[in-house]
Amino acid sequence: MDHSLTALSSRWRWSTFLVSAMILAEFFPLSQQLSYDYYDNVCPQAERTVRASISSNLAGDPTAAAALLRLAFHDCQVGGCDASIMLNSQGGITSEMVASKNFGIRRLNLIDNAKAAVDSQCGPGRVSCADIIAMAGRDAVVFAGGPDFRIPMGRLDSTFASNAAADSSLPPTTISVDNFLNLFGSMGMSTEESVAIMGGGHTLGVGHCVNIVNRLYPNTESTLSFVYATRLRVSCPSSDPRFIINATTVQNDFSSLQFDNQYFREATMGLGLFTIDAALASDARTSPIVARFSQNQISFFNAFASAYAKLTSFNVLTGNRGEVRNNCRFVN
């Protein structure tokens, strides 16, 4: 689906749906070491500077919004939001980017650009790469037409990364509803928030055939309609690894450049792309939420904002556990 830059910019201005810190705090008691005013004294323009850098880059590549949101998700689900995903292999560090579950992760350079911009304004050693990733994921949502909301700051950067940790921590698209709810429940999310964070992660961008062929071959998954399965086979014509490359993709939903509730609408029609998408639409615990979100976008936006704050604040490094990197790709 084509979207003009004018339309995308308009959605950026249109997205004035603000979730206040007071409302978020009602659902999510913050760590004593994360706060909404963390940068007020050391770099008061930090969030504005990061957003300006991110938005200028997204204007030239609207598909990067999905990439930045996925980057935040993949960083935060491996040991917490600590920018470990940015570290290059060096010494005892093996980059998380070589993990099989991180294929397709891209546009890390946009984090580097935002880091350079904020360091130029406030000086090095003040704004962490981890906070920039969390901001960038939120700002990507706003740019794509989603809600604008505040998240607490004060995450520190890790001094270690492991590709093995990434592969063991990142959930597969075939995760069961039980394991899905347990995973996000461990981060303090309600069932509603868990469904919202999944929908938010899948409403932007594309899915890779390698994560879809299990539904098509050797036999078609029973939850797939004949028409939808046929459509997917056109994009993913084989399960043979020799013919599946990471560049082979399918849109997550019809409006894959826009952050909206289209994912839920399609899920209720049996058009969920991944196994977990179909499962959430049919499981008795989650299907009423999927149905509600398909009809009420503001309800989805509210739940996603709360869920994203929890995701990006879970198990973070603070105090003397971590550092503020001078270069996001290397420890100091």
PDB file of all heavy atoms in Angstrom, residues 87-102:
ATOM      1  N   LEU A  87      25.766  -3.314  20.171  1.00  0.00           N
ATOM      2  CA  LEU A  87      27.192  -3.583  20.322  1.00  0.00           C
ATOM      3  C   LEU A  87      27.742  -4.450  19.192  1.00  0.00           C
ATOM      4  O   LEU A  87      27.157  -5.478  18.835  1.00  0.00           O
ATOM      5  CB  LEU A  87      27.465  -4.270  21.661  1.00  0.00           C
ATOM      6  CG  LEU A  87      27.377  -3.375  22.902  1.00  0.00           C
ATOM      7  CD1 LEU A  87      27.504  -4.216  24.169  1.00  0.00           C
ATOM      8  CD2 LEU A  87      28.454  -2.291  22.868  1.00  0.00           C
ATOM      9  N   ASN A  88      28.856  -4.044  18.649  1.00  0.00           N
ATOM     10  CA  ASN A  88      29.573  -4.846  17.662  1.00  0.00           C
ATOM     11  C   ASN A  88      30.341  -5.967  18.347  1.00  0.00           C
ATOM     12  O   ASN A  88      30.670  -5.875  19.538  1.00  0.00           O
ATOM     13  CB  ASN A  88      30.559  -3.978  16.874  1.00  0.00           C
ATOM     14  CG  ASN A  88      29.877  -3.008  15.937  1.00  0.00           C
ATOM     15  OD1 ASN A  88      28.692  -3.125  15.650  1.00  0.00           O
ATOM     16  ND2 ASN A  88      30.635  -2.030  15.449  1.00  0.00           N
ATOM     17  N   SER A  89      30.636  -7.029  17.598  1.00  0.00           N
ATOM     18  CA  SER A  89      31.453  -8.116  18.134  1.00  0.00           C
ATOM     19  C   SER A  89      32.868  -7.597  18.399  1.00  0.00           C
ATOM     20  O   SER A  89      33.490  -6.982  17.536  1.00  0.00           O
ATOM     21  CB  SER A  89      31.511  -9.279  17.146  1.00  0.00           C
ATOM     22  OG  SER A  89      30.236  -9.853  16.970  1.00  0.00           O
ATOM     23  N   GLN A  90      33.340  -7.850  19.598  1.00  0.00           N
ATOM     24  CA  GLN A  90      34.689  -7.429  19.972  1.00  0.00           C
ATOM     25  C   GLN A  90      35.045  -8.070  21.309  1.00  0.00           C
ATOM     26  O   GLN A  90      34.242  -8.083  22.232  1.00  0.00           O
ATOM     27  CB  GLN A  90      34.777  -5.896  20.093  1.00  0.00           C
ATOM     28  CG  GLN A  90      36.182  -5.374  20.343  1.00  0.00           C
ATOM     29  CD  GLN A  90      36.202  -3.860  20.456  1.00  0.00           C
ATOM     30  OE1 GLN A  90      35.470  -3.270  21.241  1.00  0.00           O
ATOM     31  NE2 GLN A  90      37.057  -3.223  19.654  1.00  0.00           N
ATOM     32  N   GLY A  91      36.258  -8.605  21.406  1.00  0.00           N
ATOM     33  CA  GLY A  91      36.670  -9.258  22.640  1.00  0.00           C
ATOM     34  C   GLY A  91      35.741 -10.406  22.982  1.00  0.00           C
ATOM     35  O   GLY A  91      35.514 -11.308  22.174  1.00  0.00           O
ATOM     36  N   GLY A  92      35.144 -10.373  24.167  1.00  0.00           N
ATOM     37  CA  GLY A  92      34.226 -11.435  24.585  1.00  0.00           C
ATOM     38  C   GLY A  92      32.794 -11.205  24.154  1.00  0.00           C
ATOM     39  O   GLY A  92      31.900 -11.969  24.535  1.00  0.00           O
ATOM     40  N   ILE A  93      32.566 -10.167  23.375  1.00  0.00           N
ATOM     41  CA  ILE A  93      31.216  -9.830  22.928  1.00  0.00           C
ATOM     42  C   ILE A  93      30.972 -10.391  21.532  1.00  0.00           C
ATOM     43  O   ILE A  93      31.761 -10.163  20.618  1.00  0.00           O
ATOM     44  CB  ILE A  93      31.022  -8.296  22.897  1.00  0.00           C
ATOM     45  CG1 ILE A  93      31.098  -7.725  24.312  1.00  0.00           C
ATOM     46  CG2 ILE A  93      29.691  -7.938  22.238  1.00  0.00           C
ATOM     47  CD1 ILE A  93      31.102  -6.211  24.349  1.00  0.00           C
ATOM     48  N   THR A  94      29.870 -11.137  21.403  1.00  0.00           N
ATOM     49  CA  THR A  94      29.409 -11.563  20.080  1.00  0.00           C
ATOM     50  C   THR A  94      28.112 -10.832  19.807  1.00  0.00           C
ATOM     51  O   THR A  94      27.134 -10.991  20.530  1.00  0.00           O
ATOM     52  CB  THR A  94      29.171 -13.080  20.026  1.00  0.00           C
ATOM     53  OG1 THR A  94      30.369 -13.759  20.397  1.00  0.00           O
ATOM     54  CG2 THR A  94      28.766 -13.506  18.631  1.00  0.00           C
ATOM     55  N   SER A  95      28.099 -10.019  18.787  1.00  0.00           N
ATOM     56  CA  SER A  95      26.967  -9.140  18.511  1.00  0.00           C
ATOM     57  C   SER A  95      25.640  -9.896  18.440  1.00  0.00           C
ATOM     58  O   SER A  95      25.545 -10.967  17.839  1.00  0.00           O
ATOM     59  CB  SER A  95      27.195  -8.405  17.193  1.00  0.00           C
ATOM     60  OG  SER A  95      26.042  -7.669  16.821  1.00  0.00           O
ATOM     61  N   GLU A  96      24.627  -9.322  19.056  1.00  0.00           N
ATOM     62  CA  GLU A  96      23.285  -9.887  18.967  1.00  0.00           C
ATOM     63  C   GLU A  96      22.762  -9.847  17.532  1.00  0.00           C
ATOM     64  O   GLU A  96      21.832 -10.585  17.173  1.00  0.00           O
ATOM     65  CB  GLU A  96      22.328  -9.129  19.887  1.00  0.00           C
ATOM     66  CG  GLU A  96      22.610  -9.348  21.370  1.00  0.00           C
ATOM     67  CD  GLU A  96      21.686  -8.548  22.275  1.00  0.00           C
ATOM     68  OE1 GLU A  96      20.654  -8.033  21.788  1.00  0.00           O
ATOM     69  OE2 GLU A  96      22.008  -8.424  23.468  1.00  0.00           O
ATOM     70  N   MET A  97      23.351  -9.010  16.707  1.00  0.00           N
ATOM     71  CA  MET A  97      22.891  -8.886  15.330  1.00  0.00           C
ATOM     72  C   MET A  97      23.161 -10.140  14.501  1.00  0.00           C
ATOM     73  O   MET A  97      22.568 -10.316  13.434  1.00  0.00           O
ATOM     74  CB  MET A  97      23.543  -7.669  14.672  1.00  0.00           C
ATOM     75  CG  MET A  97      23.016  -6.348  15.206  1.00  0.00           C
ATOM     76  SD  MET A  97      21.250  -6.125  14.877  1.00  0.00           S
ATOM     77  CE  MET A  97      21.269  -5.969  13.087  1.00  0.00           C
ATOM     78  N   VAL A  98      24.040 -11.018  14.960  1.00  0.00           N
ATOM     79  CA  VAL A  98      24.282 -12.254  14.220  1.00  0.00           C
ATOM     80  C   VAL A  98      23.343 -13.367  14.676  1.00  0.00           C
ATOM     81  O   VAL A  98      23.367 -14.464  14.121  1.00  0.00           O
ATOM     82  CB  VAL A  98      25.755 -12.716  14.350  1.00  0.00           C
ATOM     83  CG1 VAL A  98      26.695 -11.621  13.889  1.00  0.00           C
ATOM     84  CG2 VAL A  98      26.086 -13.156  15.769  1.00  0.00           C
ATOM     85  N   ALA A  99      22.514 -13.098  15.670  1.00  0.00           N
ATOM     86  CA  ALA A  99      21.536 -14.089  16.124  1.00  0.00           C
ATOM     87  C   ALA A  99      20.523 -14.348  15.016  1.00  0.00           C
ATOM     88  O   ALA A  99      20.094 -13.420  14.317  1.00  0.00           O
ATOM     89  CB  ALA A  99      20.827 -13.605  17.387  1.00  0.00           C
ATOM     90  N   SER A 100      20.128 -15.595  14.857  1.00  0.00           N
ATOM     91  CA  SER A 100      19.195 -15.930  13.776  1.00  0.00           C
ATOM     92  C   SER A 100      17.863 -15.203  13.934  1.00  0.00           C
ATOM     93  O   SER A 100      17.228 -14.835  12.939  1.00  0.00           O
ATOM     94  CB  SER A 100      18.969 -17.447  13.733  1.00  0.00           C
ATOM     95  OG  SER A 100      18.405 -17.910  14.950  1.00  0.00           O
ATOM     96  N   LYS A 101      17.429 -14.976  15.175  1.00  0.00           N
ATOM     97  CA  LYS A 101      16.143 -14.304  15.394  1.00  0.00           C
ATOM     98  C   LYS A 101      16.217 -12.796  15.176  1.00  0.00           C
ATOM     99  O   LYS A 101      15.188 -12.116  15.227  1.00  0.00           O
ATOM    100  CB  LYS A 101      15.619 -14.624  16.793  1.00  0.00           C
ATOM    101  CG  LYS A 101      15.138 -16.063  16.944  1.00  0.00           C
ATOM    102  CD  LYS A 101      14.552 -16.313  18.305  1.00  0.00           C
ATOM    103  CE  LYS A 101      14.084 -17.753  18.456  1.00  0.00           C
ATOM    104  NZ  LYS A 101      13.580 -18.048  19.814  1.00  0.00           N
ATOM    105  N   ASN A 102      17.402 -12.276  14.929  1.00  0.00           N
ATOM    106  CA  ASN A 102      17.537 -10.851  14.649  1.00  0.00           C
ATOM    107  C   ASN A 102      17.722 -10.564  13.161  1.00  0.00           C
ATOM    108  O   ASN A 102      18.076  -9.446  12.792  1.00  0.00           O
ATOM    109  CB  ASN A 102      18.718 -10.259  15.431  1.00  0.00           C
ATOM    110  CG  ASN A 102      18.314  -9.828  16.827  1.00  0.00           C
ATOM    111  OD1 ASN A 102      17.156  -9.498  17.073  1.00  0.00           O
ATOM    112  ND2 ASN A 102      19.262  -9.842  17.745  1.00  0.00           N
TER     113      ASN A 102
END
